Amino acid sequence: MKFLVTGGAGFIGSNYMHYVVNKYPEDFFVCLDALTYAGNYNNIKDLEGKNNFKFVKGDITDRDFINKLFEEERFDMVINFAAESHVDNSIKNPGIFLTTNIIGTQVLMDASLKYKVGRYHQVSTDEVYGDLPLNRPDLLFNEDTPIHTSSPYSSSKAGADLLVGAYHRTFGLNTTISRCSNNYGPYQFPEKLIPVVISKALKNEKIPVYGNGANVRDWIHVIDHNIGVDLIVRNGKVGEVYNLGGHSERSNLEVVKTILKQMGKSEDLITFVEDRKGHDLRYAIDSSKVEKELHWDRTYTFEQGIKETVDWYLNHTDWIDDILSGNYKTAYKE
């Protein structure tokens, strides 16, 4: 089968590319990425020598380009990781989130219909469900939880999810959607919590923590997330939504302290800053549906995964330096 994987040079997408290109030598994977600020060609350039991999630079919102690509390649499967995903940026500039996350999704699905793609999969987020109270650990998001968004980012992802459902019902497009909790692991752009903590701690710089750091997230290792996506794409029921959670709830402050301890750094680096606007209190996912139907499970505990993740960044300080200096932007040209 031939797969199109959009956003394949980003954090989750590049980890997915490494996983599937090596696992399925009989399939062919086209990695599409616009290489915006969070897309990094260095994440996937070592796959270029593989016989079942090809990288294409392009924007999912460019309808003419997408149609030409679909006509040339005749994909069997489309997996859409491409998205603007940083909540703070969505608060500052909502427009680009609506364009990429909603219009880009529409363009991909229109092409999928036109060129008779067998399956379109949308990679979404638990943030479409809003948040849960801190004092109700019994409450979890399941696939029937109503959408109740807080930020322009989560609203744009929810809008895309609704559009995917509409294309399935109205046009008969074979679709699936996965909604995951907070990912961590290698290649995460240093604007998100864990790589920010690591990169600042390396320089003994102050580490900003929103509010009092009590906001809780459910953490899933990126490999476990991608194993779930692969199972859903290949075996999930058409028209269904599947939640992928880590069953590893931690407060932001707890995550920061765990990283500092592993790095041998002082907690004095922590500085509390003004809370984010509309900051969600707690995310927690019920993954029982995908566990029962597709026999998915996590392979990483948070303790094991965070240790490996911190070690990866400490062993790849050149990767961090390239991003902080901006040199990574020239990797594809070179």
Side-chain angles (χ1 to χ4, degrees):
M1 291 188 293
K2 182 177 282 190
F3 289 75
L4 173 65
V5 181
T6 70
F11 162 44
I12 303 176
S14 63
N15 277 281
Y16 185 79
M17 295 307 312
H18 283 275
Y19 174 68
V20 294
V21 167
N22 289 301
K23 183 174 182 179
Y24 301 107
E26 71 280 6
D27 292 329
F28 193 87
F29 299 91
V30 176
C31 173
L32 173 65
D33 202 289
L35 297 181
T36 57
Y37 81 95
N40 187 349
Y41 180 70
N42 287 327
N43 293 354
I44 45 88
K45 68 179 181 180
D46 59 338
L47 294 174
E48 286 282 22
K50 301 282 188 177
N51 293 328
N52 62 336
F53 173 86
K54 179 168 77 172
F55 176 77
V56 177
K57 185 176 184 294
D59 191 332
I60 63 170
T61 67
D62 185 338
R63 189 175 293 273
D64 290 340
F65 165 79
I66 290 296
N67 281 334
K68 182 179 179 182
L69 180 66
F70 274 64
E71 185 171 0
E72 291 175 352
E73 299 289 350
R74 299 290 171 169
F75 300 110
D76 300 295
M77 303 276 193
V78 174
I79 306 171
N80 184 25
F81 287 96
E84 293 286 343
S85 66
H86 192 41
V87 175
D88 290 349
N89 289 346
S90 80
I91 294 171
K92 296 173 185 174
N93 183 15
I96 191 169
F97 285 73
L98 303 181
T99 300
T100 299
N101 297 352
I102 298 178
I103 301 303
T105 297
Q106 181 204 12
V107 169
L108 289 171
M109 290 195 296
D110 283 344
S112 296
L113 283 170
K114 182 176 181 180
Y115 295 100
K116 297 179 172 56
V117 167
R119 172 70 64 90
Y120 174 90
H121 181 75
Q122 180 77 2
V123 179
S124 188
T125 170
D126 61 355
E127 294 191 43
V128 302
Y129 297 124
D131 64 354
L132 297 166
L134 293 175
N135 62 352
R136 289 291 307 275
D138 57 308
L139 296 179
L140 303 173
F141 296 136
N142 60 50
E143 289 82 0
D144 295 322
T145 299
I147 286 176
H148 186 70
T149 60
S150 302
S151 69
Y153 160 62
S154 58
S155 297
S156 67
K157 292 297 289 185
D161 286 3
L162 293 172
L163 195 61
V164 172
Y167 267 59
H168 169 64
R169 181 168 179 173
T170 304
F171 303 116
L173 181 64
N174 291 336
T175 65
T176 44
I177 298 171
S178 58
R179 293 173 179 156
C180 67
S181 55
N182 278 41
N183 280 228
Y184 67 97
Y187 302 118
Q188 189 169 26
F189 197 80
E191 64 182 359
K192 302 295 178 73
L193 178 65
I194 289 174
V196 163
V197 174
I198 296 169
S199 60
K200 287 188 176 295
L202 281 169
K203 299 180 180 181
N204 293 311
E205 296 177 352
K206 288 293 184 180
I207 296 166
V209 175
Y210 282 129
N212 60 6
N215 302 68
V216 170
R217 300 294 180 258
D218 176 19
W219 293 93
I220 184 172
H221 195 283
V222 66
I223 290 177
D224 285 336
H225 175 204
N226 283 328
I227 290 172
V229 169
D230 184 52
L231 282 171
I232 294 165
V233 168
R234 294 173 184 271
N235 302 311
K237 294 179 182 177
V238 169
E240 293 293 311
V241 175
Y242 294 92
N243 284 348
L244 297 165
H247 288 190
S248 297
E249 292 184 51
R250 300 288 189 283
S251 72
N252 290 342
L253 185 58
E254 186 178 356
V255 172
V256 173
K257 288 182 176 181
T258 298
I259 295 169
L260 291 177
K261 182 178 180 180
Q262 184 175 333
M263 295 179 67
K265 298 290 185 176
S266 171
E267 292 181 7
D268 291 340
L269 293 176
I270 297 172
T271 180
F272 296 100
V273 299
E274 182 181 354
D275 208 357
R276 169 190 285 162
K277 294 178 180 178
H279 200 177
D280 288 332
L281 293 175
R282 172 177 168 256
Y283 304 145
I285 275 189
D286 176 359
S287 303
S288 58
K289 178 178 177 178
V290 70
E291 292 167 12
K292 292 174 183 176
E293 290 189 14
L294 303 180
H295 309 294
W296 174 81
D297 201 356
R298 290 145 293 273
T299 60
Y300 280 88
T301 64
F302 181 77
E303 290 74 20
Q304 173 195 7
I306 195 66
K307 183 181 185 306
E308 287 188 13
T309 297
V310 173
D311 286 344
W312 186 90
Y313 284 101
L314 296 182
N315 291 324
H316 293 82
T317 54
D318 54 337
W319 183 88
I320 298 175
D321 291 340
D322 274 350
I323 291 178
L324 296 179
S325 68
N327 289 338
Y328 76 103
K329 295 178 181 178
T330 64
Y332 180 63
K333 296 177 183 178
E334 292 171 356

